[in-house]
Amino acid sequence: KAKESGRGRALAFEADMEREVRERREMEADLREAFEYGKLATEFQPIVDARTGKVVSSEVLVRWYHPTRGEIGPDTFIPIAEHAGLILPLGNWVLKRACAAAAQCPELNSIAVNLSPVQFMDPNLVEQVTAVLAETGFPPERLVLEITESVFLKDFGTASTKLAKLRELGIRIALDDFGTGYSSLSYLRQYKFDKIKIDKSFVDEIGERSDGLAIISAVIALAHNLGLEVTAEGVERKFQVDALRTLGCDTMQGYYFGKPNANPMKITDVATEDWDQPVSEETSPVAG
Ligand code: C2E
Ligand code: MG
Ligand code: MG
Ligand code: MG
């Protein structure tokens, strides 16, 4: 009897696996079709200068609106694209769209583009990026490539050579989702970056936990001591803005300023006109 129910469980497990494999294969086929028929989209999210309140950069984020499943987020479909061997052409397309759009926005100092680990490890990456810059006439100094710690789990030598080559071209490198991995600090020591993007989970803890502010304050100071620029991600609330400005964070990104949308320059109607003034002591949660 016990044997039988064990067998039953094994069969159910097998059925689950089969369904999963089938679903994945379907999604891959759908994604390939969407990409080939030009059904993917790009959106931009503004990045705001913490001192002036002006939009100085923008991050391109890829979008997939599935005909029956609705919107599928990049956290879900980028791994599918990697598995399907689609990520290189897809990533190249995103990069091209980003550079072309930013070329039309001289007010933007830079445009930020995410690279998946598979893209980063592609031996042709440097040539591909160089080709896109040439084709769009976009200067490398205005391109920021965002990578996450996961690209370093593979091979130290290849990764650091790759980083150096990109930086030699004048491209800047941001370490995305800073603080969420296993050894963010040791990566800062081993590799040369231009900026870090503090993950939303840390911004969320400003005002939520008593040590939230202490941690973000330490991270900003550390980054600045290493000569790195700091962007805070996922900024949604006014008190977070005030705290981050007081702590000397360089740039901010989040729904408070604007959701990803078609226009790289568009920010929500937030009052930033008075931002030339220092943050007032009463409104800042950091004061005292
Ligand atoms: P990310 O690079 O860390 O991008 C930030 C994510 O946070 C975006 O989600 C953005 O829409 C979301 N976000 C920004 N501000 C706020 C906020 O105030 N509140 C909340 N709740 N969320 C906010 P999205 O667009 O779903 O992208 C998820 C991830 O997918 C990105 O994380 C990035 O790692 C990856 N991704 C997006 N586009 C691309 C791409 O073109 N290529 C590659 N390789 N990866 C991409
Ligand atoms: Mg990013
Ligand atoms: Mg991030
Ligand atoms: Mg992310």
Side-chain angles (χ1 to χ4, degrees):
K1 189 123 210 235
K3 214 179 197 173
E4 228 161 79
S5 77
R7 212 171 96 83
R9 251 181 283 131
L11 284 175
F13 179 72
E14 231 171 78
D16 276 357
M17 290 275 286
E18 257 173 53
R19 188 164 36 72
E20 244 169 63
V21 169
R22 194 169 355 101
E23 273 214 348
R24 177 174 264 265
R25 223 182 283 129
E26 265 172 36
M27 292 268 275
E28 282 184 19
D30 289 355
L31 180 60
R32 178 168 288 115
E33 184 176 307
F35 179 57
E36 279 166 8
Y37 286 87
K39 297 286 169 61
L40 298 188
T42 49
E43 289 187 341
F44 298 86
Q45 188 177 31
I47 301 175
V48 166
D49 186 312
R51 275 178 307 108
T52 63
K54 301 271 183 302
V55 181
V56 286
S57 186
S58 208
E59 177 177 3
V60 64
L61 296 157
V62 64
R63 294 290 178 256
W64 181 20
Y65 300 97
H66 190 281
T68 56
R69 293 172 201 259
E71 181 173 355
I72 302 175
D75 280 329
T76 305
F77 77 79
I78 292 293
I80 297 173
E82 292 184 336
H83 194 258
L86 271 175
I87 190 65
L88 298 182
L90 194 160
N92 207 45
W93 173 76
V94 171
L95 179 66
K96 233 180 264 181
R97 303 259 303 180
C99 293
Q104 302 300 311
C105 299
E107 308 94 319
L108 288 180
N109 297 336
S110 65
I111 194 89
V113 182
N114 294 284
L115 285 189
S116 90
V118 174
Q119 290 176 273
F120 184 75
M121 292 316 277
D122 170 27
N124 292 319
L125 174 72
V126 177
E127 284 95 324
Q128 294 278 330
V129 174
T130 308
V132 170
L133 292 172
E135 189 183 319
T136 54
F138 195 66
E141 292 74 22
R142 291 178 64 202
L143 178 62
V144 176
L145 293 177
E146 299 191 0
I147 56 180
T148 54
E149 278 178 31
S150 49
V151 309
F152 302 122
L153 300 179
K154 306 236 162 90
D155 165 3
F156 170 81
T158 317
S160 57
T161 313
K162 188 71 62 81
L163 274 188
K165 277 196 189 143
L166 291 168
R167 296 186 71 246
E168 263 165 43
L169 290 175
I171 295 165
R172 278 168 294 154
I173 307 289
L175 185 55
D176 202 354
D177 301 348
F178 182 81
T180 56
Y182 289 109
S183 38
S184 307
L185 287 186
S186 82
Y187 289 125
L188 284 190
R189 238 183 359 175
Q190 293 177 59
Y191 300 94
K192 189 85 192 80
F193 303 100
D194 299 281
K195 66 191 255 173
I196 62 166
K197 296 188 78 171
I198 301 180
D199 192 70
K200 178 178 188 300
S201 53
F202 293 93
V203 174
D204 285 343
E205 289 184 350
I206 298 176
E208 290 286 324
R209 288 170 54 118
S210 58
D211 52 3
L213 202 58
I215 290 178
I216 211 153
S217 156
V219 170
I220 292 171
L222 169 76
H224 283 167
N225 282 329
L226 294 171
L228 300 168
E229 192 190 310
V230 182
T231 302
E233 293 192 291
V235 179
E236 293 179 344
R237 323 250 325 244
K238 174 77 162 72
F239 70 84
Q240 296 170 336
V241 171
D242 291 341
L244 289 161
R245 294 188 67 215
T246 307
L247 293 172
C249 184
D250 302 291
T251 47
M252 295 180 280
Q253 177 179 3
Y255 293 174
Y256 182 81
F257 301 102
K259 294 197 171 177
N261 74 100
N263 176 353
M265 296 291 302
K266 188 181 167 214
I267 52 173
T268 328
D269 194 19
V270 288
T272 57
E273 301 82 31
D274 61 341
W275 277 25
D276 312 336
Q277 317 303 316
V279 181
S280 92
E281 302 257 309
E282 307 96 81
T283 59
S284 165
V286 184

